[in-house]
Amino acid sequence: MIPVLFILVPLLSGLVGFFIKNGNAAKKWSLFVSVVTLVISLYSLTLGKNAPALNYSASWLPSLGSKFSVELDGLSVILTLLTAVSFPAIFIATYNKEYKNQGNFYALMLLSQAGLMGVFVATDALLFYFFWELALIPVYFLCSIWGGDRRIQAAFKFFIYTFVGSLLMLIGIIYLYLHTTDHSFSLQSFYKLKSYIPAADQTWLFWLFFVAFGIKMPIFPFHTWQPDTYEQSPTAVTMVLSGVMVKMGLFGLIRWLAPVLAGGTWLWGDTASALCIIGMIYASLIAIQQDDLKRLVAYSSIAHIGLMCLAVFATTQTGLQGVMIQMFNHGINIIALWIVVELIERQLGTRKISELGGLAQKAPVLSILLVVVALANVALPLTNAFVGEFLMFSGIYTSTATTYNVVFTVTAGISIILSAVYMLNMIQKVFFGNTNSLTENVRDIQWNEKLILVALVLLIVLIGIYPQPALELTKTTVDTIITKMNAKF
Amino acid sequence: MSPTQILFWFLSVLAIFSAIMVVASKSPVHSVLWLIVVFFAISGHYILLNAQFIAIVNLIVYAGAIMVLFLFVIMLMNLNAETEPQKNKWLKIAGVIAGGALLMVFVAALKNADLKNQLAQVNQGEIGLISNLGMALFHDYVVPFEVSSVLFLSAMVGAVVIGKKE
Amino acid sequence: MPINYYIFLSVALFCIGVAGVLTRRNAIIIFMCIELMLNAVNLLLVAFSKMHHAALAASNASAGINGQIFVFFIMVVAAAEVSVGLAIIVMMYRNTHSVDVNFLNRLKH
Amino acid sequence: MNAIILSAAWGVVMMFSGAFSKSKVVIRYLAIAGAAFLIIANLADLYSQGNPFFHIDTKEMLTFNVFGLLVNTIAFASTLIYFLLSAKDIEDVGTNSGEYFALIFFVLCGVSLVTSYNNLLILFIGIETLSIPLYILTGSSKRNLKSNEASLKYFLMGAFSTGIMLLGIAFLYGASKTGSFFIDDIGIGKTPASPLFIIGLILLTTSFSFKVSAVPFHFWTPDVYDGSPTVFTSFMATVVKGAAFVAFIRLFADSFTEAEPKWRLIIAIITAATLFVGNITAVFQQSVKRMLAYSSIAQVGFMLFAILGVSLKTNTAQEGILLYITAYSLASIGIFAILTRMKDHSFEGFNGLAKHQPLLAGVNTVFLLSLAGIPLTAGFFAKYYMLVTALQTGNFFWLVIFAVLCAAVSVYYYFRVIQAMYFKEGERQEIEASPAFKSLLVIVAVTIVLIGIFPQWLISKLSIIYF
Amino acid sequence: MSKLVYLVPLSPFIGFLLNGLLRKNLSKSLTGIIACGTVLVSFIVSLLIFFDVRKDGFETEIVSLFNFIHIGALKISFAFQVDQLSVLFLLIITGVGFLIHVYSTAYMHDEENDHFARYFAYLNLFVFSMLILVLGANYVIMFIGWEGVGLCSYLLIGYWFKNVEYGNAAKKAFIMNRIGDLGFLIAVFWMISKFGAVTFSEVFSKAPTAPVAVLTGITLLLFIGATGKSAQIPLYTWLPDAMAGPTPVSALIHAATMVTAGIYMIARSNIMYTLAPTTQTVIAIVGTATALLAASIAVKQNDIKKVLAYSTVSQLGYMFLALGVGAYTGAVFHVMTHAFFKALLFLGAGSVIHAAHEQDIRKMGGLKKFMPVTHITFLLACLAIAGIPPFSGFFSKDEILSAAYEKNKIYYLVGAFTALLTAFYMFRLYATTFLGKFRGTSEQEHHLHESPSAITIPLIILAILAVIGGFAGIPEVFAKGSHWLHQFLSPVFAGSEKIKEVHVVAANQELMLMAVSVGVAIVGVVYAWSKFSKNPELEDAKGFGKLLADRWYVDELYNAIIVKPLNAFGKFLNEVVEKSIIDWMVNGVGKAVQYGSRQIRLLQSGQVGGYVLLMVIGMVILFIVEIFIKK
């Protein structure tokens, strides 16, 4: 029943939200709802594995062989948790921001949350596709109503881009569905497919799915929508996009592509991995050049996602474990980064790194917190990201799915150095050095921002020091997926 | 060469020639007249095929009623050759070519059809006679017959709607 | 009479009609060309009906009659169409004092 | 049978009502009642399999199967909604509204003919009954030159295509062994196709493509839809097009199934061309009305997948087309109803609608999303079915890919309207929308969403069909 | 006692938290007490542990705190390893660390309250990470400390963050370390995939079975890590810049402790290195080269801290030379002695800077009479580093040199020459700073004074250590078993010695070597003293000297071949590839659609004739397809 709650609570309360005319009421309402969701998700952690409450299935379209079946396995748990954590964080962090007709804004935010939750819990391909699209629509509206000057074009580019991808995926889904023995969309019957799909079809099917997911992640060269969209959308939405939404791509890869089309994944893993690595280096090098904070974070995010995708293709237990935990870590880290960006922009009205400087004198708390987050972003030990990246790298290195594992590890490793370069550059230019006329009268962060940033930082350090529980969470799922991936044809 | 054949060839040539004249002739009135000639030729063919009823109807309905209607309209608008300035020559040529191409395609499609032994029965066979047609029409084809009344009704209403002064 | 003759004859007439539709710009004449096409069809139908009659008369005395019935209906419908068509053309003429289809280009692209 | 007779009869009634009653309101309600009555009669026909009100021996000229009857129901239902939404606008077109309604009912008669024909003769008469009143309706705003022009264009080209269809029928007649017009006999089965048959096939394909406005026989569509009064455009684009398509699929499903390899390719080509031209051309349009015309062409491109699928053992094609017609008609009627009330039919006309008329904007968004085939709307399942059909045949993978790319393009122009409504600023314009009108629109939108979530109630009805 | 080892890192960590979180509210004295106190605690605990360890029959102790990462076969637990090596480093770190903390309380006294606290927080954090580094029982934990100290050095170098130059220096240090760390990481992954473990015990037990190639690879990668951390060629350039940080920091991090992490790591993994002779050669060569290069540069530096920095690099080079020739004890020994006298030198320099507010030695001179304590201690330190017996430096350096001689004469010659240079530049520094007469401005001269006791006391203690420290390892030639350190550490290096025993040099030979090294040292000292005590060189160097003064232009070289090209490439990607190629394509599709739309709609000419024509053509095409193409 819990997964259903994940979807229904935000959905219904979002619909209610449309009718709340008073902005602050809407704000409080949505904050409350998101906290409720968080509580539910924390409760779900306490339940043991495959407790009955964790999955639910109801008849939906019998004649099409599609059921409304949702489940919380390790993968879903960690991502729903991320979603549940992110939204309250976002709401609190942007609490002081005033949007025009907030009622709709928050309602749409909640709807997008519902969509995301749905994506992460669905175990029926058609249902999955439904939520995949539904998560997109509210974000589209959010971005193009409340965004920056070029918001309409940016959001539209984003929409079309992902829409093309999802349609291609739809073809793939239908094709698989037609080949299932029992004409059903359920994940289980998709798993049984292997023997029915010849290698030739595996190839193009793989690309149909991979393009869809690659656009969402995004993977080089499908990434160009991302910087523009991040730059243009209101920061709250950017947080949703980069914190949670990009995980949809990885999730799809892990849940719907790699285990189902193991053959294709195995055949084309190297090519895809090469794309990931090119993307990592490429994005890092570009990030070094960026002067706009948002674009900087956007490109760094591309690099990190590339690493995760790479680790998935490594087809190793350690690697996949790393991806699992890293999806969560990346989520909270980047949200924390966005919060800082948002603060700076709201106070100084600029995101240009070159115009900033010396904030450390004016806002010590902020700068300390930022430094921790930034260090997490460069995967320093005892921060959460280190665990993830360490596992992923060792997974890639020990991978037997590819013969280039060493090359991959080393080239990908370069991005670690580069990430240090752009992160430290940013810290130094923005926070160190002397203040200028613009940054003269910056005040330090307020309670709500401090509260949420501190919470996130604590989370970062906690996972960094004692990650084992989180790893336990996804253990069984990882094992099953890996076994499926290894059973190629 | 039996008289039937002679007649057939004569009528065919007549039909085609006057059809061409319909298209070619400048003045609308001439076109109408040529068209009537075509109808007569075709009716001749009907008679040759021993389809008297159709032949008569063709004359009455087409040559009689419809063409007269056309003539009226043309007179009403007193259209004559001058009112139709030369149309874009290229479009004309293109039209002719397209029509020709269509013909070519038809012929090409039909040339390898083995219809040698398929004969159309001429000046015999009873089915063309009014009695048989009538029986068929009011037994097997009564439904279409009735239904076509709807068509007429709508045409009538339509004509009224369009024609009525407001 | 071999059926091909009739086929080719009516196809020829039909194509002449098509060519007429393509080449002329006077609405009425275009319309007449369409009538010509219909007549070509009629002729073909009658020829086919006689063909089938010749082939099947043995088994079924009234074989092929439906062809001629169809022709009858075509004429009927054609008549109805003409009435409407001419009405429209007249209306057009009332408003623009022309039946030249080339003046019909307010709607394009 | 009920549908045919009653629609014709009601047409007559409307005709006289126009003559005798001066009050428009009476006429309007009469028409609405008629539509409702038709639905009931048709449903009676549907559920009392085989014994309708009237016992008429049609000599197998007509066969009433569930598919046809369902299509009738959908058509009548759409008409009812259409009346309820736009009856007022019909009256505003010209003086003699009674006749307009009468013509519409005659069209409905034609619809019910082409959904149940079993003989090419009926098909021919049906198609004509469908078309002739439309020529009139197109030209019904007599002082409007665009309307005149549209009407004349429509008429000339319609007549031309009729000629082509007749030639096709003639050839099929010549090709059929038994010399008959019954659609069961003209099919050639497994025997090698004679050239006559091929020619007939192509000619019929052509004329049908014309009726459903598939490329390259679509040219009349944009001009006619654009020129004719918006209310009638709405009717033409939905009910009539759907019916024509059903005629199309019915013929191919019954007669040409075995001959599928012969026409597979040309239909595929037509489909591709339709998708391409329809979508691409719609992108640049400046008037929403005209954009919708092109989009309707694009939608046909998707519907044509059903033709490709007729040879399947399953009924996916028929189910799909039914769903598609429903979804498409509902959405289009809705949009056109709103469009009719707007002064300015260009995209700019919609600017800032969300601010001044949030409800209208909202439902309009639902309609547009449905047309674009976004999940949670009926449009999604419509497209879904078409894709399934095409993939099931297994020959048209390239076409499917192409289709989804075109669908992505379609998003572009549908969303231009949404962008105009929500993200652009515009001055308030007077849109007279009575509460009834609004609530009805809401109902339509909700229906679309419901079908989008539970296509079940349509599908389950369909899955019992045996053709 | 060694069960409580976790207290050692814990207490500085607590200090870090207290100082970090309460920095606004704590008074300076309180901050100082907390900072020094916590380090003192861990020093005491380490001492206790040390006595434990000294008891004979002591077994290496693994104290496992919790599972860090357990996935399938891979088991990484958060565990500490207590044995002779780690405990020795514990003492050095906490001991020297404590002294420097005390010193800092005085040195940093002018800072504002919260910055003062920030400084000590960082310093405590550093001690914590360093302790983690040396205590870790597996390479992952070690890596945690490894990067931790890197971070702290970054923070402390950039302590005065207002100054952009310092910021850059900090960044440079961090990134260069990162490059090394990547090597370290990959080595770890290699171990994981090869041995399926990262714990020292397991890895070392499995190492002998592994093919030499693998070991060479792993060890080389680890060594790359070491070059980063311990400032060896090619990654040494960050260390001189790191002098931007406060002087105590330079003393603690960039002389005594952090930079020796590389030596610790290699000594720790000595077995693998002994099994990979190739790597050893590489290390020896790199070490020697670094020693020489750095020393040569030090000769011409005029910034007091820069001189010391380069001398540090050079000394580290010695240590690597020792490792390379398999004299692990010697290396560790030199680490210890170096910790004493180099820390002392830095602190002395700090005291000078504190007094004169000046770092350029050309503007000093004659400080002898102003600050006697500093002067004496500094002199002692100079003697120690120059390798004058019986000061500590002599013993350790001599051990290394004899081992080098044993291995390969060239190492020895270079080493000896470097020793000469060392003696020379150290006394150049000493002479220009303390002898002669003061050359600074009068108002500088006016408030020259001896530093407060908080500074001098650590100086004195360290001076004592620097003097006597050497006796921990009296060469065997003088008395059998006199090399206490060797005895003490033998369990750690037992493995390597089993594999190939380092046969000691013949007694007479060794004495001869000592004589030589002492000789060169004295030569250097005397020459420098005589040259610079009266008339120090004040004008800028020319010719070869200039080349040295400009550090062989290595930084410029790196800039030209790495930094600039990379930036250019990035710019290219950002401005050309991203904007003009990829994004252009994406938008190009949209544009193409628009354009196509504009063109295709022209088909809709509005002419009935045109429409029908197109229809007919379409029909004809259908026919052609159907009839001609299909056949």
Side-chain angles (χ1 to χ4, degrees), chain E residues 594-603:
Chain E
Q594 291 272 6
Y595 178 78
S597 175
R598 222 175 300 126
Q599 298 310 315
I600 290 174
R601 89 189 204 289
L602 296 181
L603 280 180

Side-chain angles (χ1 to χ4, degrees), chain C residues 52 66 81 95 104 109, chain D residues 128 142-143 148 173 290:
Chain C
H52 285 305
N66 46 9
E81 220 174 30
N95 293 336
L104 308 177
H109 302 329
Chain D
E128 285 301 304
K142 282 185 268 180
R143 290 269 157 258
N148 296 344
Y173 174 65
R290 204 167 170 82

Side-chain angles (χ1 to χ4, degrees), chain E residues 161-202:
Chain E
F161 53 74
K162 283 184 198 155
N163 182 328
V164 178
E165 277 316 302
Y166 295 0
N168 290 336
K171 209 169 68 198
K172 184 175 178 184
F174 191 85
I175 288 162
M176 284 202 142
N177 275 304
R178 266 268 151 145
I179 298 172
D181 298 350
L182 180 58
F184 191 113
L185 262 184
I186 292 172
V188 173
F189 298 142
W190 202 337
M191 289 182 214
I192 292 175
S193 64
K194 201 74 205 159
F195 309 126
V198 290
T199 342
F200 296 138
S201 49
E202 289 182 62

Side-chain angles (χ1 to χ4, degrees), chain C residues 7 10-11 14 17-18 21-22 27 30-31 34 37-38 40-42 44-46 48-52 55-56 63-70 73-74 77-78 80-82 84-86 88-89 91-92 94-96 99 101 103-109, chain D residues 119-122 124-125 128 132 135-136 139-153 155-160 162-164 166-167 169-181 196 203 222-224 226-228 281 285 290 294:
Chain C
I7 296 177
S10 21
V11 165
F14 189 88
V18 171
V21 173
L22 291 175
I30 291 177
F31 192 16
I34 292 170
M37 288 158 64
L38 294 186
V41 174
N42 291 352
L44 187 60
L45 275 169
V46 174
F48 276 135
S49 88
K50 295 299 285 188
M51 177 187 88
H52 285 305
L56 308 166
I65 195 165
N66 46 9
Q68 302 199 14
I69 300 259
F70 205 108
F73 276 102
I74 292 179
V77 171
E81 220 174 30
V82 168
V84 172
L86 287 178
I88 292 173
I89 292 176
M91 173 181 69
M92 186 75 201
R94 267 206 220 123
N95 293 336
T96 62
V99 290
V101 292
F103 290 156
L104 308 177
N105 52 9
R106 284 169 200 76
L107 301 162
K108 60 178 159 200
H109 302 329
Chain D
N119 184 310
L120 294 179
L121 179 52
I122 301 282
F124 167 59
I125 296 175
E128 285 301 304
I132 288 181
Y135 303 150
I136 318 284
S140 54
S141 95
K142 282 185 268 180
R143 290 269 157 258
N144 177 345
L145 288 180
K146 282 191 170 189
S147 167
N148 296 344
E149 172 180 347
S151 148
L152 185 53
K153 278 180 176 172
F155 170 74
L156 288 176
M157 300 173 79
F160 182 78
T162 311
I164 290 173
L166 286 172
L167 188 64
I169 292 175
F171 271 109
L172 285 178
Y173 174 65
S176 71
K177 299 276 160 295
T178 59
S180 120
F181 291 102
L196 295 180
L203 289 172
D223 295 1
V224 171
D226 192 2
S228 60
T281 322
Q285 296 309 317
R290 204 167 170 82
Y294 281 107

Side-chain angles (χ1 to χ4, degrees), chain D residues 79-235:
Chain D
T79 318
L80 179 60
I81 297 169
Y82 165 69
F83 280 165
L84 290 169
L85 282 172
S86 326
K88 269 185 87 311
D89 308 292
I90 296 179
E91 290 157 6
D92 302 346
V93 172
T95 48
N96 29 28
S97 60
E99 283 75 358
Y100 299 149
F101 285 115
L103 288 170
I104 289 176
F105 275 101
F106 291 139
V107 172
L108 288 183
C109 179
V111 168
S112 33
L113 279 173
V114 294
T115 55
S116 57
Y117 70 93
N118 194 29
N119 184 310
L120 294 179
L121 179 52
I122 301 282
L123 169 65
F124 167 59
I125 296 175
I127 291 281
E128 285 301 304
T129 325
L130 206 61
S131 318
I132 288 181
L134 290 180
Y135 303 150
I136 318 284
L137 291 177
T138 310
S140 54
S141 95
K142 282 185 268 180
R143 290 269 157 258
N144 177 345
L145 288 180
K146 282 191 170 189
S147 167
N148 296 344
E149 172 180 347
S151 148
L152 185 53
K153 278 180 176 172
Y154 193 13
F155 170 74
L156 288 176
M157 300 173 79
F160 182 78
S161 84
T162 311
I164 290 173
M165 177 169 73
L166 286 172
L167 188 64
I169 292 175
F171 271 109
L172 285 178
Y173 174 65
S176 71
K177 299 276 160 295
T178 59
S180 120
F181 291 102
F182 284 98
I183 56 178
D184 313 327
D185 304 343
I186 59 174
I188 50 158
K190 296 268 171 289
T191 58
S194 74
L196 295 180
F197 175 79
I198 298 288
I199 295 174
L201 183 64
I202 296 176
L203 289 172
L204 270 181
T205 313
T206 310
S207 59
F208 272 120
S209 308
F210 176 89
K211 291 292 174 203
V212 302
S213 67
V215 180
F217 312 104
H218 67 291
F219 293 100
W220 63 277
T221 319
D223 295 1
V224 171
Y225 284 10
D226 192 2
S228 60
T230 314
V231 263
F232 296 134
T233 312
S234 159
F235 186 69

Side-chain angles (χ1 to χ4, degrees), chain A residues 34-61:
Chain A
S34 60
V35 170
V36 170
T37 324
L38 176 57
V39 171
I40 298 172
S41 118
L42 291 176
Y43 169 70
S44 74
L45 292 183
T46 64
L47 299 170
K49 286 193 170 39
N50 49 47
L54 288 184
N55 45 29
Y56 173 84
S57 178
S59 158
W60 179 33
L61 304 172

Side-chain angles (χ1 to χ4, degrees), chain E residues 528-592:
Chain E
W529 194 302
S530 57
K531 188 170 188 301
F532 298 111
S533 51
K534 293 285 160 292
N535 48 354
E537 50 162 11
L538 302 174
E539 72 290 352
D540 290 342
K542 281 178 289 308
F544 183 69
K546 175 131 177 57
L547 180 61
L548 297 182
D550 291 344
R551 317 177 193 80
W552 299 97
Y553 299 105
V554 177
D555 279 324
E556 291 73 2
L557 184 72
Y558 285 177
N559 245 329
I561 64 171
I562 297 168
V563 180
K564 282 208 173 60
L566 215 55
N567 265 322
F569 185 54
K571 215 176 238 36
F572 168 77
L573 289 182
N574 183 27
E575 277 149 23
V576 180
V577 178
E578 182 77 350
K579 295 209 173 49
S580 325
I581 297 182
I582 297 179
D583 211 18
W584 175 82
M585 279 183 194
V586 175
N587 301 337
V589 174
K591 288 209 178 57

